[in-house]
């Protein structure tokens, strides 16, 4: 079959590489050159008024906030937080340990143990104009010993995960470990309860879901590898034709030139026939979105035949069934979200899962984002390819006529991603420094804001603890005539962090949300441990937040408001 032989030719010329791209690959993304303009000082929200920022907080909450932020500024405590919590549990006993956690980290970053216990906090935040992104934050906590037992063949009580993901520095990267399909159904049921709770407690709320909870993580790894190598093949062809120095959507292949190149490489048959039934963006050229449509529209062909051999071996009936089951679970969740007037926020995960997660999310966006965004994808801007991914998905939504919905974050898995890239030997997917990531974030944000200005169909959540980013967004909204009441631009921060951003925005009428985790203390410990590590940079740099907290605390003491409780 000519299709098969062409793909085999692509492998022979150098695309049979580890997922993630080789070191020195021509597919390396160019450094971001964009520098965001300086923030306009005429924004309408004042983030330096502690009395207004913390009027929803009792004095004991201020003290806890100060204590936790201070503790999280010490590297030795952050680096060893899991061991310290285990030691505390041993010394204090389970009951006293849980009480200590409620008084400190759990009380700071987690709303409660179940749907009922979290309602007072959600209602209080809502009264101050702050909505909810509800997240059931129970994570598997699989230790290195159990991972090694898995690798050595001892299967007793060990959830499935590919051994390649059990490397030092990578093992701590969180995702749901696969036990069986029944467990995935249980996770789906948990997300349904979460959606219903969000719908019942917060107007136009969000629920966060993790794709690794809904299927076999190793399937996501395998399918991601297919998608990445398929994109690598396109990059290889554009490089051969001297078009790899352009922006991703400007890299177009002339069908006649591509036919000649592939024939030269040893492929047989008329490659142009691949696109005979496709609605191309241009009649004589294809771009990356046209190329990807061969995967999108011919998934069954890809999965049921050996067309992608040897790009991916043994990707057959079982993998097709896994994909169908994941899509079925996602559809159930999306329908439930529509019924409860809740939006689904698909969390970003590690890069070795992310291409498949993006693909599955796009399938749901095509179905459910017809009138307004129901399903939001998450883009991690510390990735070198973040802007390319945003641009491709925005353009795809234009061509196909659905509503683009995105959450922009800086990123959560830096240490694990770099450790994995170093150990396996592919190019580090992370931007070299914070400043580059910051520029990437603003570049992606500006692109989505321009899309909102263009057709008012897209939505974006600016999930950031960076005051300059929030000010930049407010200034751009003012320039574009985007009012808070349009509800096209949302803001988001984690529960327990940056109240001096969230509550002034909410009280000024901007749609702002707290990412609200909940779950039993004993089962949320892995989440807490990860949150402390992920946000060490934010917490160490929270000097301005601590100063505002101290200012408000001193004001209450000196004005005899030490027993202050919130009022509207």
């Amino acid at each position: 079959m000519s299709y098969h032989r062409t793909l085999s030719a692509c492998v022979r010329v150098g695309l049979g590489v580890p997922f993630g791209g080789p070191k020195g690959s021509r597919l390396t993304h160019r450094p971001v050159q964009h520098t965001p303009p300086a923030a306009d000082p005429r924004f309408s929200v004042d983030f330096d008024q502690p009395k207004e920022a913390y009027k929803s907080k009792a004095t004991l909450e201020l003290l806890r906030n100060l204590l936790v932020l201070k503790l999280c500024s010490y590297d030795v405590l952050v680096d060893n937080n899991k061991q310290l919590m285990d030691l505390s549990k041993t010394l204090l006993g389970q009951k006293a340990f849980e009480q200590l956690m409620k008084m400190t980290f759990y009380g700071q970053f987690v709303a409660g143990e179940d749907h009922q216990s979290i309602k007072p906090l959600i209602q209080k935040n809502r009264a101050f104009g702050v909505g909810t992104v509800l997240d059931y934050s129970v994570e598997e906590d699989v230790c290195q010993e159990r991972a090694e037992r898995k690798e050595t063949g001892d299967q007793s009580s060990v959830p499935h995960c590919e051994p390649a993901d059990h490397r030092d520095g990578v093992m701590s990267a969180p995702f749901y470990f696969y036990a069986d399909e029944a467990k995935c159904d249980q996770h789906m049921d948990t997300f349904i309860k979460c959606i219903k709770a969000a719908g019942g407690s917060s107007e136009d709320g969000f629920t966060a879901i993790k794709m690794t909870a809904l299927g076999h993580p190793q399937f996501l790894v395998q399918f991601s590898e297919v998608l990445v190598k398929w994109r690598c093949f396109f990059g290889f062809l554009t490089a051969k034709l001297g078009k790899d120095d352009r922006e991703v959507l400007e890299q177009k292949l002339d069908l006649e030139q591509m036919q000649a190149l592939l024939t030269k490489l040893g492929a047989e048959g008329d490659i142009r026939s691949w696109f005979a039934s496709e609605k191309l963006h241009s009649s004589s050229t294809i771009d990356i979105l046209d190329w990807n449509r061969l995967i999108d529209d011919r998934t069954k062909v890809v999965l049921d035949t050996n067309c992608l051999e040897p790009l991916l071996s043994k990707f057959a009936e079982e993998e097709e069934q896994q994909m169908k089951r994941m899509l079925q679970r996602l559809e159930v969740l999306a329908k439930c979200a529509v019924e409860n007037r809740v939006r689904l926020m698909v969390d970003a995960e590690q890069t070795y899962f992310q291409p498949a997660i993006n693909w599955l999310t796009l399938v749901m966006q095509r179905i459910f984002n017809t009138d307004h965004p129901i399903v939001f994808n998450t883009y991690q801007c510390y990735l070198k390819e973040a802007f390319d991914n945003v641009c491709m998905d925005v353009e795809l939504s234009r061509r196909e006529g659905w509503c683009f919905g995105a959450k922009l974050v800086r990123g959560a898995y830096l240490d694990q991603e770099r450790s994995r890239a170093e150990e396996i030997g592919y190019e580090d997917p992370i931007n070299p420094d914070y400043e580059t990531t910051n520029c990437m974030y603003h570049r992606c944000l500006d692109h989505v804001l321009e899309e909102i200005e263009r057709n008012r169909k897209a939505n974006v959540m600016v999930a950031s603890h960076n005051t300059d980013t929030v000010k930049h967004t407010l200034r751009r909204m003012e320039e574009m005539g985007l009012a808070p009441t349009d509800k096209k631009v949302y803001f988001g921060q984690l529960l327990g962090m940056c109240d001096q951003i969230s509550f002034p925005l909410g009280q000024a009428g901007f749609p702002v949300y707290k990412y609200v985790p909940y779950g039993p203390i004993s089962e949320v410990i892995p989440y807490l441990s990860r949150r402390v590590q992920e946000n060490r940079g934010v917490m160490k740099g929270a000097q301005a937040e601590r100063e505002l907290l101290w200012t408000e605390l001193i004001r209450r003491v000196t004005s005899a408001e030490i027993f202050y409780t919130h009022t509207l």
Side-chain angles (χ1 to χ4, degrees):
M1 183 177 179
S2 60
Y3 193 48
H4 168 62
R5 295 196 57 168
T6 300
L7 287 165
S8 296
C10 94
V11 176
R12 290 199 300 272
V13 296
L15 290 180
V17 297
F19 172 48
K23 290 184 176 179
S25 168
R26 288 296 302 275
L27 294 173
T28 302
H29 290 271
R30 297 176 297 282
V32 178
Q33 301 295 328
H34 175 80
T35 301
D40 192 320
R42 295 173 296 171
F43 59 86
S44 58
V45 183
D46 190 347
F47 301 110
D48 297 315
Q49 296 296 323
K51 182 178 180 180
E52 293 301 311
Y54 301 115
K55 70 179 184 179
S56 68
K57 304 295 180 186
T59 302
L60 283 177
E61 292 179 282
L62 297 185
L63 289 169
R64 182 186 65 199
N65 204 335
L66 279 166
L67 173 64
V68 170
L69 287 178
K70 187 62 178 177
L71 290 175
C72 290
S73 69
Y74 296 113
D75 282 336
V76 65
L77 298 181
V78 173
D79 292 336
N80 299 286
N81 76 84
K82 181 65 166 59
Q83 295 90 328
L84 290 170
M85 284 192 282
D86 289 342
L87 178 62
S88 299
K89 187 188 301 183
T90 300
L91 295 176
L92 298 174
Q94 183 68 30
K95 187 173 181 180
F97 170 75
E98 291 188 0
Q99 188 60 39
L100 175 65
M101 294 302 293
K102 286 182 179 180
M103 294 171 60
T104 54
F105 295 96
Y106 182 92
Q108 182 69 17
F109 298 120
V110 182
E113 298 198 54
D114 52 39
H115 298 99
Q116 294 301 318
S117 64
I118 66 177
K119 285 184 178 179
L121 183 141
I122 291 174
Q123 291 168 356
K124 181 182 74 170
N125 286 352
R126 184 179 178 183
F128 287 91
V130 177
T132 299
V133 179
L134 206 54
D135 177 32
Y136 188 69
S137 296
V138 172
E139 295 176 353
E140 301 281 1
D141 184 19
V142 180
C143 66
Q144 186 66 28
E145 178 183 354
R146 294 179 72 196
E148 289 170 356
R149 286 166 56 200
K150 163 73 174 78
E151 293 184 12
T152 57
D154 181 358
Q155 300 295 322
S156 59
S157 305
V158 182
H160 177 83
C161 180
E162 182 68 10
D165 295 327
H166 286 306
R167 296 176 171 82
D168 291 337
V170 179
M171 190 58 229
S172 59
F175 61 87
Y176 287 78
F177 286 77
Y178 182 84
D180 50 38
E181 291 300 305
K183 188 68 172 178
C184 293
D185 287 337
Q186 289 178 19
H187 291 152
M188 180 184 69
D189 291 340
T190 298
F191 288 143
I192 288 173
K193 292 177 183 177
C194 199
I195 291 169
K196 291 180 178 179
S201 59
S202 179
E203 183 180 356
D204 294 329
F206 289 87
T207 291
I209 64 171
K210 270 190 166 54
M211 203 75 78
T212 50
L214 299 174
H216 204 317
Q218 189 58 27
F219 160 72
L220 294 175
V221 173
Q222 289 177 296
F223 190 38
S224 291
E225 187 169 345
V226 171
L227 295 171
V228 167
K229 289 183 177 179
W230 188 253
R231 182 168 168 178
C232 282
F233 188 22
F234 184 85
F236 165 78
L237 295 174
T238 58
K240 282 291 185 181
L241 295 175
K243 299 180 179 181
D244 58 330
D245 59 342
R246 306 177 185 179
E247 294 291 342
V248 63
L249 288 172
E250 296 302 317
Q251 296 176 7
K252 294 181 172 62
L253 295 176
D254 180 87
L255 287 174
E256 296 294 334
Q257 289 181 330
M258 185 178 73
Q259 174 71 59
L261 174 60
L262 291 174
T263 301
K264 183 178 179 181
L265 292 172
E268 296 179 358
D270 186 359
I271 309 317
R272 293 163 295 190
S273 65
W274 295 4
F275 303 94
S277 62
E278 302 296 329
K279 184 179 179 182
L280 301 181
H281 187 55
S282 171
S283 60
S284 60
T285 63
I286 63 169
D287 62 12
I288 185 64
L289 298 184
D290 297 321
W291 181 258
N292 287 343
R293 195 172 290 122
L294 289 177
I295 292 278
D296 292 343
D297 293 346
R298 301 180 186 182
T299 302
K300 184 170 175 55
V301 175
V302 172
L303 296 178
D304 283 352
T305 74
N306 291 328
C307 287
L308 286 181
E309 289 284 340
L311 288 181
L312 187 65
S313 61
K314 300 179 181 177
F315 199 70
E317 182 65 24
E318 175 57 26
E319 284 74 19
E320 181 181 359
Q321 292 304 313
Q322 288 172 11
M323 176 182 286
K324 287 180 178 178
R325 288 192 291 263
M326 290 190 76
L327 288 171
Q328 288 168 353
R329 293 183 183 110
L330 284 168
E331 187 171 3
V332 168
L333 293 176
K335 287 180 177 178
C336 182
V338 171
E339 292 169 1
N340 289 273
R341 299 185 63 184
V342 172
R343 277 74 55 87
L344 287 187
M345 193 78 75
V346 180
D347 278 347
E349 302 189 54
Q350 290 82 1
T351 54
Y352 41 92
F353 298 132
Q354 199 57 45
I357 291 173
N358 288 344
W359 189 92
L360 293 165
T361 303
L362 286 171
V363 172
M364 291 298 105
Q365 288 180 315
R366 288 185 179 109
I367 298 171
F368 291 95
N369 289 12
T370 52
D371 298 321
H372 59 277
I374 295 293
V375 180
F376 281 60
N377 204 356
T378 299
Y379 300 87
Q380 299 193 97
C381 295
Y382 70 171
L383 297 176
K384 295 174 183 177
E385 63 178 18
F387 183 69
D388 285 352
N389 291 336
V390 169
C391 287
M392 287 192 294
D393 290 351
V394 166
E395 177 61 23
L396 188 65
S397 70
R398 291 176 184 172
R399 294 185 191 180
E400 297 182 345
W402 47 269
C403 303
F404 180 79
K407 178 178 73 171
L408 299 180
V409 301
R410 279 174 169 78
Y413 306 109
L414 188 148
D415 292 338
Q416 295 95 328
E417 294 287 5
R418 285 191 166 152
S419 295
R420 189 176 193 269
E422 178 67 23
E423 185 163 347
I424 297 179
Y426 59 86
E427 183 184 341
D428 184 355
I430 308 297
N431 288 322
D433 51 48
Y434 180 81
E435 183 54 37
T436 307
T437 294
N438 199 45
C439 290
M440 177 69 82
Y441 191 102
H442 284 251
R443 191 182 185 201
C444 293
L445 174 59
D446 285 343
H447 188 75
V448 180
L449 288 175
E450 288 161 7
E451 176 65 10
I452 295 172
E453 182 185 31
R454 190 184 76 86
N455 67 14
R456 301 286 172 134
K457 293 178 68 176
N459 283 186
V460 64
M461 175 171 281
V462 183
S464 176
H465 300 122
N466 186 306
T467 306
D468 289 337
T469 293
V470 175
K471 292 178 180 179
H472 171 82
T473 307
L474 295 177
R475 182 184 65 80
R476 293 306 310 273
M477 289 177 66
E478 184 178 358
E479 292 173 353
M480 295 176 174
L482 296 173
T485 52
D486 291 337
K487 292 188 177 180
K488 301 294 183 183
V489 182
Y490 306 91
F491 297 88
Q493 290 82 40
L494 293 171
L495 181 70
M497 297 178 63
C498 294
D499 288 344
Q500 80 278 12
I501 294 177
S502 307
F503 286 88
L505 282 171
Q507 292 167 60
F510 288 89
V512 59
Y513 292 78
K514 282 293 191 184
Y515 197 95
V516 176
Y518 71 98
I521 295 178
S522 59
E523 298 180 44
V524 176
I525 292 300
Y527 168 86
L528 287 173
S529 178
R530 178 169 65 91
R531 272 294 177 223
V532 170
Q533 298 237 17
E534 284 174 7
N535 295 288
R536 73 164 72 207
V538 176
M539 292 172 180
K540 286 179 70 175
Q543 182 62 36
E545 184 172 357
R546 292 199 297 270
E547 289 177 359
L548 288 172
L549 285 163
W550 274 117
T551 300
E552 173 60 7
L553 184 61
I554 293 170
R555 186 197 67 80
R556 291 186 187 183
V557 171
T558 56
S559 60
E561 295 183 31
I562 190 66
F563 299 108
Y564 171 89
T565 56
H566 71 84
T567 56
L568 296 179

